Amino acid sequence: MKLRFMLLCAAAMLGACKPAETQPASVEIKGTASYNERMLLPPGSTLVATLEDVTRADAPAEVITATEMQLQADTAPPIRFKLEFDPDRIVAKHRYHVRARITVGDKVLFRSHMGVPVLELKKNSYADVTMRAESTDPAYYVLPPQQRRGMYSYMADSGWFSDCLSGVRVPVAQQGENLALETAYMKSRPMHGAQMLVTLKGHLENVVFMEGIKTRPMLVVDQFISIEPRGCSGPSSTAQLENTYWKLMSLNNELVESPEGAREIHFVLNRDNFRLSGFAGCNSLTGNYRVDGEKLTFSDIAGTMMACSNGMVIERQIHEMFPRVAGWKISGETLQLVSSNGMRLATFESVYLR
């Protein structure tokens, strides 16, 4: 019995001395994901952060690890994340970047276009990732209910608001203090359809707009504060007639909206060669122009000959409009083309490309 006891003790001691089998320890990279636009995220948003091997320039990056985070409604940046990975997958002298994106369903709202280098000489285990907006579709964003500054215009019984900070453009609902905003605009506007700088408090809301069935995101004005004939970044008449991207707002006194995902109808007057270039709804647009003070005329207006299922009607109207133009007026960021008798033919707004 005593011998058996001694053998059992010896076996136990040998077992205690044997190295335990351990799993490779994981290592982590911490970081934040941010964006500069003054927007809050809608419910259902997801942050995806990835650690990628970007050594080979001729091949897609290899994802070492990724993490997904379901974000709370109205989450604001910076958003903290953590990436855990197996250190055995890290190869000396390889290059590694951290990237991030925010999605809602299959729609990408924000994405980092430049990866943040990490793990250089086994250091740099923290990454601050900056993302950029992939879409300005207001259906995917929430304007925080706080004071806002933006460009407001009203025509064809419709008001529109373009947020100065985010660039999101939304229709204004006939609710809240909208009547006060409309009244102030009608008293102050220098010409029909001109954009003016407004300060207000408001929030984005899905509002019924057609036959009590269809809804769309609209800005509800909770409090109207002020309106003035200025642009977002300066005094009135900041836009110039030439070398400016002019987006079509109205034609023949009817509001024009570009279909979702479609190319904008626009033109640019190129000062170097006095040529017009642009897009008319289906085909490219070219021609000559001459400007003399407040007088403006167009000639040799032409376009490519492609046929489209949409856009042909308005394209024909645009080709009919340009020969009738005899003058121009700019107020703030709004251009008005007029006929020889002063009749308004079309209204455009300036767009500053990023």
Side-chain angles (χ1 to χ4, degrees), residues 24-97:
S26 62
V27 182
E28 66 182 27
I29 292 175
K30 294 182 178 180
T32 62
S34 303
Y35 52 87
N36 295 325
E37 289 81 356
R38 294 286 297 275
M39 302 174 186
L40 296 181
L41 299 173
S45 299
T46 300
L47 172 71
V48 181
T50 57
L51 172 63
E52 303 175 0
D53 186 334
V54 296
T55 307
R56 294 186 58 184
D58 60 344
E62 177 189 0
V63 176
I64 302 300
T65 188
T67 184
E68 292 189 12
M69 296 171 51
Q70 298 298 317
L71 304 177
Q72 298 295 322
D74 298 351
T75 295
I79 305 167
R80 299 184 181 279
F81 63 84
K82 182 171 62 176
L83 287 163
E84 295 183 345
F85 62 95
D86 181 353
D88 289 343
R89 296 196 62 185
I90 304 303
V91 180
K93 297 184 179 181
H94 276 210
R95 295 187 301 115
Y96 297 91
H97 283 183

